[in-house]
Amino acid sequence: MKLTHYSLVSALGAAFLGTADAALSGCPKSLAIQLTNVLQAGQIEFPYGSCEKLSSDEYVAGIARFSTKDGSAWKVINAYHSLTGGVDIFSQFDGVIVKNSGGDSSINMNGFCNAWSSVGADQKFWSAQGSVFEKDYYNPSQSLADQLGLKLSIAQAQLYDAAIAHGIGSSSDELVGMIDATNKAITADISGSSSNTLTISGYRVDELEWLKRFLVTRAKYRDVHGTKASIDSYTYMINNNEAAWGDKIYVLNDQGNEGDIDCNNSYVPYSTPDNNTDSSATPSSSSSSTDTDTTSVFNPYGDGDGDGDDDGDDDGDGDGDGDGEGNDSECYGYGANYYCGAGNSKLAYSFGLLSGLSALLAL
């Protein structure tokens, strides 16, 4: 069947919003995806045409920073080939794909970013990226959330965000590895104020307390693209009692500025340039369910103004001395420098059938 503009919007909406048995679905899934896009690329839309050269033999590109080195970018290209009949802008790299699969680091990928960006507005390319995104990133992250027994939107979404930034794998700096490290540090029951209790290595652990410990673990790898911004934003939500999401969340963006994201596909900043916040737009008890403990402020970096993970105690409660090298003021947003090529800034991601269609028709 030939995919038209309208059927592609429907296909993207149905595939990306997920099925009923997915950990996150519907509006909370839309919020999670928009938030990660804001933290990674500074905008709610998926950066389909983005591309960046990391080294002589690795490029990262597209909505999940698909890599030529780990093979995920080639999966997207092969998916795109299947939609174009195999003859398209990426045909010139078919030989490179074969060499790359054999571990050849001397391959020539000149022009790769130009090629990728040139089809950033092609809806078949959106679909190709979406299929790999769901299979290799989103679905595995939510399967892990299900295995852990996570029920809170904020915890489920954090696993998705970590999968995009770090990958799913079992190395210490990848999602499975960080979950394992978090769980191994738990040596006793941990009570808390959320409505859900996990069973971790035989211990009863409050879900929100587990999430805090996961963020402490992840903070060790804050230099990974978008990671410090994510930790800061999720910490902000924890401290503002945003555990179970409704139709709007209040967040920090990739530059640390306050704002809100809703299911109508919008990020609205509410801090002025001098950081004076409009109190009418800030989080309140009515903005989302309150399952968190407001008696103390959670800090994943420790009490000091340094790294906070050098001397932290083993249970990961964020009480480290924080006497490592300070980097709280580091710049962690790519901003306009993230993109290679043109044609991405107004691409709309189809979060739902009607809202996604409206956004596309407004281009």
Side-chain angles (χ1 to χ4, degrees):
M1 178 185 71
K2 181 179 180 181
L3 292 175
T4 65
H5 176 86
Y6 296 95
S7 61
L8 264 171
V9 171
S10 300
L12 285 169
F16 281 15
L17 288 182
T19 57
D21 58 356
L24 274 174
S25 61
C27 182
K29 179 175 180 179
S30 169
L31 294 173
I33 290 173
Q34 290 186 79
L35 175 56
T36 293
N37 288 348
V38 167
L39 298 173
Q40 290 269 332
Q43 60 182 48
I44 63 168
E45 299 89 1
F46 266 145
Y48 289 98
S50 66
C51 185
E52 178 185 359
K53 183 177 181 179
L54 295 184
S55 65
S56 61
D57 64 337
E58 183 179 14
Y59 292 77
V60 291
I63 65 177
R65 289 174 64 81
F66 302 111
S67 169
T68 57
K69 196 167 187 176
D70 70 12
S72 55
W74 306 126
K75 289 182 180 180
V76 171
I77 290 173
N78 283 326
Y80 186 57
H81 279 338
S82 70
L83 296 174
T84 63
V87 180
D88 52 57
I89 189 67
F90 294 112
S91 298
Q92 60 185 304
F93 297 105
D94 285 348
V96 171
I97 295 174
V98 174
K99 290 182 179 180
N100 180 266
S101 65
D104 185 348
S105 62
S106 63
I107 54 180
N108 184 354
M109 294 187 289
N110 290 337
F112 180 82
C113 274
N114 288 336
W116 188 285
S117 296
S118 72
V119 290
D122 185 341
Q123 293 171 1
K124 290 181 179 179
F125 196 43
W126 295 8
S127 181
Q129 292 190 47
S131 64
V132 178
F133 163 84
E134 286 285 327
K135 182 179 179 180
D136 289 2
Y137 295 89
Y138 184 80
N139 289 341
S141 76
Q142 297 310 290
S143 292
L144 289 167
D146 287 341
Q147 292 170 25
L148 287 164
L150 302 183
K151 302 297 183 184
L152 298 176
S153 306
I154 191 173
Q156 296 165 338
Q158 171 58 204
L159 292 199
Y160 158 71
D161 184 271
I164 294 296
H166 301 272
I168 293 289
S170 58
S171 296
S172 61
D173 60 348
E174 295 177 306
L175 178 56
V176 171
M178 289 188 288
I179 290 174
D180 287 345
T182 302
N183 291 347
K184 287 177 181 177
I186 294 173
T187 58
D189 291 346
I190 304 172
S191 61
S193 58
S194 82
S195 57
N196 188 42
T197 300
L198 313 178
T199 299
I200 306 295
S201 302
Y203 299 109
R204 292 173 58 80
V205 181
D206 177 81
E207 179 174 346
L208 202 57
E209 294 302 314
W210 182 90
L211 175 60
K212 292 177 181 179
R213 285 154 175 77
F214 177 80
L215 289 173
V216 171
T217 300
R218 190 179 174 192
K220 298 175 182 178
Y221 309 104
R222 73 189 70 174
D223 290 337
V224 173
H225 175 74
T227 293
K228 187 178 185 301
S230 173
I231 294 169
D232 290 350
S233 191
Y234 277 81
T235 297
Y236 176 87
M237 287 187 284
I238 288 172
N239 289 329
N240 283 305
N241 309 316
E242 296 186 272
W245 294 352
D247 59 2
K248 178 182 289 189
I249 53 176
Y250 296 88
V251 302
L252 300 181
N253 70 3
D254 60 320
Q255 301 299 319
N257 298 321
E258 296 171 312
D260 62 68
I261 296 174
D262 63 37
C263 287
N264 292 320
N265 305 343
S266 64
Y267 169 77
V268 180
Y270 56 79
S271 287
T272 57
D274 60 0
N275 208 32
N276 292 323
T277 303
D278 176 4
S279 60
S280 66
T282 56
S284 68
S285 59
S286 62
S287 66
S288 63
S289 299
T290 56
D291 288 322
T292 59
D293 181 3
T294 59
T295 60
S296 62
V297 176
F298 168 60
N299 176 9
Y301 303 119
D303 297 328
D305 59 3
D307 284 348
D309 54 21
D310 290 357
D311 295 312
D313 44 20
D314 290 338
D315 62 3
D317 59 8
D319 294 329
D321 295 334
D323 56 2
E325 291 185 8
N327 62 357
D328 288 353
S329 63
E330 68 184 355
C331 177
Y332 49 82
Y334 271 113
N337 294 329
Y338 178 76
Y339 298 102
C340 172
N344 295 309
S345 60
K346 294 185 178 180
L347 292 182
Y349 165 58
S350 300
F351 295 106
L353 302 185
L354 295 179
S355 60
L357 177 58
S358 299
L360 286 169
L361 293 178
L363 294 179

